[in-house]
Amino acid sequence: MLAARPGSVIFLVGVSGAGKTWARHTVARRLFGDPSKWPKGKVPYVEVMSLLADRGYFSPKDLAISLCGQINAPSVDWLYRDPDADPSPFARFECQITEFATAWKRERQPKSEREAWREAIACGRARGVKVFSIEHASLMAQNRVNGTAVQHTLNLMSLATDMGSSVLLTTTPEGYSLWSKYAEINTRSAHIYINPYRPGSKKELRNFATLVKHLAAGIPFEPKDLPLSVLDAIADATQTAPAGIRNIFWRAHQLANTEGKPAVDLKSLMAAFPSLRDVRNIQVSAQTLSEQQVPFEHPSFARALPDADE
């Protein structure tokens, strides 16, 4: 997923809670592996978060400075953010990064946006950055006077070309709509969609049931298979997003504890479901995600089929 030509953009799109961060980190671990095996002084993958740091507005300068900081003293918790991962092999590397971070803070910070991006490009080249990831990318639209999210992205593509890297933008379907109408970006982009399970399919229903059982593990239910008995309701309310399912079970457990119940019953589980408004919002988001993937069709495709004249 992350192997793309320099200057290109990779969009990772999914509804809220669908597992975009988990997917990004899982693929990054497979591609870039153990930092102890990176060439000396090289950092192939870095992550930054798009923030509204300038009095509630997005600042490209702050993004550039943040990127410089990650290139010089990267956070590598993406290597072991999985609950089952062991962070101990990276403890020594983390100590080294702490030393780099201390030294980086003593460096003179860029005074202008242009200077910040120049430094980011120079550092990225020197460190061999292959991919830099920006989470909550749609926040780039919340700016004051310095352009739209599209303009910022085009600028990022040019900067990534100079750096010899590609850009990974993580966003929701609504956020992706900021870019989807612009051919100049789409023709140079790859699109990765995290789609919901479709419980209408027997295979996907089994997979979804397995996910629900995994997320319900450790929480007592009465009866024990209660989550599976309302599988359709869980799917409709969350669009099968793991974070949404986890929140329902957690709230149900809290409600049961508050009422002194030894296990989550149907009443507690029902009370833990999101509001109708929230359910409708995520359903609209999932529909938007589906519509963004409608393929292009043309009569010549049918004529080109081998049996078209039969």
Side-chain angles (χ1 to χ4, degrees):
M1 180 180 81
L2 302 181
R5 66 187 185 278
S8 62
V9 173
I10 306 164
F11 285 100
L12 179 59
V13 189
V15 300
S16 179
K20 298 184 290 296
T21 300
W22 176 87
R24 186 177 72 241
H25 290 167
T26 299
V27 175
R29 283 193 292 267
R30 291 184 180 179
L31 285 178
F32 303 116
D34 188 339
S36 65
K37 297 179 182 178
W38 295 349
K40 187 175 181 179
K42 302 299 182 181
V43 182
Y45 174 77
V46 295
E47 291 191 337
V48 292
M49 188 174 292
S50 182
L51 298 174
L52 304 182
D54 181 14
R55 288 173 291 181
Y57 290 92
F58 168 73
S59 167
K61 177 185 173 182
D62 288 340
L63 180 64
I65 292 174
S66 178
L67 181 58
C68 280
Q70 283 299 311
I71 292 171
N72 285 278
S75 170
V76 293
D77 61 349
W78 54 272
L79 285 164
Y80 51 81
R81 193 172 291 184
D82 189 310
D84 298 326
D86 180 12
S88 57
F90 312 109
R92 182 178 177 183
F93 190 69
E94 289 276 27
C95 289
Q96 293 174 344
I97 290 173
T98 301
E99 295 176 5
F100 295 151
T102 301
W104 167 249
K105 289 177 182 178
R106 290 197 297 263
E107 294 289 326
R108 184 187 68 85
Q109 296 298 312
K111 292 184 178 181
S112 68
E113 180 184 340
R114 184 177 181 182
E115 189 178 283
W117 282 117
R118 279 182 174 177
E119 187 164 341
I121 291 171
C123 291
R125 283 177 179 169
R127 290 287 210 165
V129 174
K130 300 299 181 187
V131 175
F132 62 89
S133 168
I134 301 177
E135 193 168 6
H136 301 313
S138 61
L139 293 183
M140 288 192 291
Q142 302 296 321
N143 56 82
R144 200 180 292 273
V145 293
N146 49 8
T148 66
V150 171
Q151 290 170 324
H152 292 315
T153 304
L154 290 171
N155 186 49
L156 285 173
M157 294 168 81
S158 298
L159 295 166
T161 300
D162 290 343
M163 193 185 296
S165 62
S166 54
V167 187
L168 173 63
L169 300 180
T170 302
T171 187
T172 61
E174 296 81 3
Y176 176 65
S177 297
L178 296 169
W179 292 275
S180 60
K181 298 177 182 179
Y182 293 86
E184 187 173 357
I185 290 178
N186 288 325
T187 54
R188 296 170 58 188
S189 302
H191 305 85
I192 311 297
Y193 299 97
I194 300 182
N195 287 310
Y197 286 104
R198 301 298 180 191
S201 158
K202 289 184 178 180
K203 180 181 178 180
E204 294 212 13
L205 179 61
R206 287 195 301 269
N207 291 339
F208 180 55
T210 300
L211 171 66
V212 169
K213 286 191 287 186
H214 173 74
L215 294 174
I219 298 177
F221 287 92
E222 181 56 45
K224 291 183 179 181
D225 63 347
L226 176 60
L228 298 182
S229 69
V230 292
L231 208 57
D232 289 345
I234 293 173
D236 286 343
T238 65
Q239 293 302 296
T240 75
I245 300 168
R246 190 182 295 111
N247 287 340
I248 288 176
F249 292 162
W250 181 83
R251 287 197 297 267
H253 193 202
Q254 293 295 105
L255 288 170
N257 285 339
T258 299
E259 296 176 6
K261 298 176 181 177
V264 175
D265 59 13
L266 180 59
K267 182 179 177 182
S268 297
L269 185 60
M270 290 171 59
F273 271 69
S275 68
L276 180 60
R277 182 193 64 182
D278 291 340
V279 169
R280 285 174 175 168
N281 285 341
I282 197 167
Q283 288 175 342
V284 169
S285 184
Q287 180 62 31
T288 300
L289 180 70
S290 176
E291 291 171 355
Q292 287 168 349
Q293 300 171 73
V294 175
F296 172 71
E297 296 183 356
H298 195 274
S300 64
F301 295 165
R303 294 195 298 269
L305 293 173
D307 58 351
D309 296 330
E310 295 181 6

